[in-house]
């Protein structure tokens, strides 16, 4: 077995997935297990570490290898100051020295990164943005996240928040964007409150009296006039928000991920509008769908050591 094997772990709220990639990006091994649950946060934390240890040990035993480089994607980030986990949806991780504890349990160094950044790295290295020098990757799902990759190198920034465009205010707001929703970050009118799945659902209820969720709105828009209005509002908000990213970063390509990235019409409708807001006489940035779907996170975790 080649020594160039890269292991990735995607730690989510419902499942933990492992993948082993060779140097060319071929999958050698892949499996998942349920994320352990426990009413006591400390017990759940310990159970998660043990679950990852078991996944890694089983993978390496299957492949006949030892001590392969390991990257882990988490729904949060590590504080550059304290090295403790912050902003994690899996709340038992918050305040814990997760990288240190996992490295100790596995007796190896561990690369740790936010799951949106792992998605971005995956799509930039050998996904939809692999031939581009500048890639901004977006997650439109339960939340709105993002990551920025330059020449296949992940940019995280000194505060480890690079790409967190979802917690900027919706740009160029109008009366059609009222009312503003409160965001869990403590502000109002954040991009996430409009463009996430739950945000679109709630905004559509407030504005158009729709009682269906975002996926149902997308599915019914051709036959439901109110759903069509909601879709058109979503497209314009996404176009404005991505235009503000283009004005700052000017990426070659923007890759969409998350559940709402599966709405194929977005890739045609959004670029028709974003030129109204981009500070240029033309927009050469491409808007494309991800290549690896929900595999991008775990693949990007593996590529943290590439």
């Amino acid at each position: 077995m080649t020594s160039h094997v890269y292991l990735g772990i995607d730690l989510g709220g419902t499942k933990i997935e492992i993948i082993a990639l060779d140097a060319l990006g071929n999958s050698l091994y892949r499996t998942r297990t349920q994320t352990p649950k426990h009413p006591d946060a400390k017990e759940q934390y310990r159970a998660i570490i043990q679950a990852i240890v078991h996944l890694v040990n089983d993978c390496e035993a299957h492949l006949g290898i030892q001590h392969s480089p390991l990257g882990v994607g988490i729904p949060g980030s590590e504080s550059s100051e304290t090295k403790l986990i912050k902003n994690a949806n899996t709340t038992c991780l918050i305040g814990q020295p997760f990288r240190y504890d996992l490295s100790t349990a596995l007796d190896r160094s561990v690369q740790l990164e936010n799951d949106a950044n792992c998605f971005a790295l995956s799509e930039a290295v050998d996904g939809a943005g692999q031939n581009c020098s500048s890639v901004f990757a977006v997650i439109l799902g339960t939340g709105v996240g993002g990551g920025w990759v330059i020449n296949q190198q992940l940019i995280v920034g000194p505060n480890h928040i690079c790409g967190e465009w979802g917690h900027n205010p919706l740009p160029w707001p109008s009366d059609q964007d009222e009312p503003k929703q409160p965001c869990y970050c403590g502000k109002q009118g954040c991009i996430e409150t409009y463009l996430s799945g739950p945000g679109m659902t709630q905004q559509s209820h407030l504005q158009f009296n729709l009682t269906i969720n975002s996926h149902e709105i997308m599915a019914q828009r051709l036959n439901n006039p109110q759903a069509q209005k909601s879709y058109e509002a979503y497209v314009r908000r996404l176009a404005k928000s991505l235009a503000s990213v283009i004005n700052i970063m000017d990426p070659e390509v923007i890759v969409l991920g998350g559940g709402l990235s599966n709405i194929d019409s977005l890739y045609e409708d959004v670029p028709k509008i974003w030129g109204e807001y981009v500070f240029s006489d033309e927009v050469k940035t491409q808007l494309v769908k991800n290549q690896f779907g929900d595999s991008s996170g775990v693949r990007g975790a593996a590529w943290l050591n590439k």
Side-chain angles (χ1 to χ4, degrees):
M1 176 64 63
T2 177
S3 59
H4 296 292
V5 176
Y6 303 91
L7 303 186
I9 291 282
D10 182 21
L11 171 55
T14 58
K15 55 88 178 171
I16 305 174
E17 185 173 9
I18 187 169
I19 200 169
L21 300 178
D22 67 15
L24 297 177
N26 299 307
S27 177
L28 307 175
Y29 180 91
R30 182 181 175 191
T31 192
R32 61 175 57 181
T33 188
Q34 288 187 331
T35 302
K37 305 292 184 185
H38 198 283
D40 183 86
K42 291 183 179 179
E43 289 299 323
Q44 184 186 12
Y45 176 72
R46 282 193 284 265
I48 285 174
I49 289 178
Q50 285 305 307
I52 294 174
V53 169
H54 287 311
L55 284 172
V56 171
N57 289 342
D58 288 348
C59 174
E60 292 192 324
H62 178 82
L63 297 176
I65 56 177
Q66 291 181 319
H67 297 289
S68 296
L70 176 66
V72 180
I74 64 170
S77 60
E78 183 182 68
S79 168
S80 57
E81 183 72 20
T82 66
K83 307 303 179 185
L84 304 179
I85 302 301
K86 62 180 180 178
N87 302 338
N89 290 339
T90 303
T91 55
C92 69
L93 300 177
I94 296 175
Q96 297 289 352
F98 182 62
R99 185 205 300 260
Y100 174 82
D101 289 342
L102 189 58
S103 297
T104 300
L106 287 167
D107 189 26
R108 76 188 73 188
S109 62
V110 173
Q111 295 294 321
L112 194 66
E113 196 48 75
N114 174 264
D115 51 9
N117 285 343
C118 290
F119 165 73
L121 186 61
S122 170
E123 293 297 330
V125 170
D126 61 352
Q130 62 179 307
N131 296 317
C132 300
S133 60
S134 176
V135 178
F136 187 69
V138 165
I139 291 180
L140 301 172
T142 304
V144 171
W148 192 21
V149 180
I150 301 292
N151 295 325
Q152 298 192 351
Q153 297 296 310
L154 189 62
I155 310 298
V156 297
N159 302 302
H160 219 113
I161 56 170
C162 188
E164 287 288 2
W165 70 306
H167 293 285
N168 288 322
L170 184 74
W172 301 284
S174 70
D175 291 342
Q176 283 71 44
D177 298 315
E178 295 291 339
K180 294 183 177 69
Q181 297 181 58
C183 184
Y184 76 88
C185 72
K187 306 293 192 299
Q188 280 193 330
C190 289
I191 287 171
E192 181 166 303
T193 67
Y194 291 99
L195 298 184
S196 69
M200 182 193 187
T201 299
Q202 178 64 10
Q203 195 70 25
S204 299
H205 175 67
L206 294 172
Q207 281 192 266
F208 305 110
N209 201 31
L210 288 167
T211 57
I212 52 180
N213 65 35
S214 59
H215 296 286
E216 293 168 328
I217 292 169
M218 294 298 190
Q220 296 180 23
R221 67 185 187 276
L222 297 181
N223 301 310
N224 182 332
Q226 293 300 92
Q228 178 63 23
K229 289 180 181 179
S230 176
Y231 170 76
E232 291 173 355
Y234 186 89
V235 167
R236 181 160 294 274
R237 290 162 183 159
L238 181 56
K240 292 193 294 187
S241 300
L242 293 180
S244 69
V245 170
I246 295 171
N247 284 342
I248 296 171
M249 298 179 176
D250 201 12
E252 286 187 52
V253 64
I254 296 175
V255 183
L256 299 188
L260 289 168
S261 72
N262 293 318
I263 308 303
D264 291 338
S265 56
L266 292 177
Y267 301 95
E268 181 178 352
D269 293 341
V270 170
K272 289 179 180 177
I273 296 175
W274 66 14
E276 299 176 27
Y277 303 96
V278 174
F279 189 61
S280 175
D281 60 342
E282 59 182 355
V283 184
K284 294 183 178 179
T285 301
Q286 302 173 60
L287 183 66
V288 301
K289 189 175 182 178
N290 63 83
Q291 181 170 325
F292 292 113
D294 65 1
S295 298
S296 271
V298 72
R299 290 179 65 90
W303 287 145
L304 291 172
N305 284 292
K306 187 173 172 61

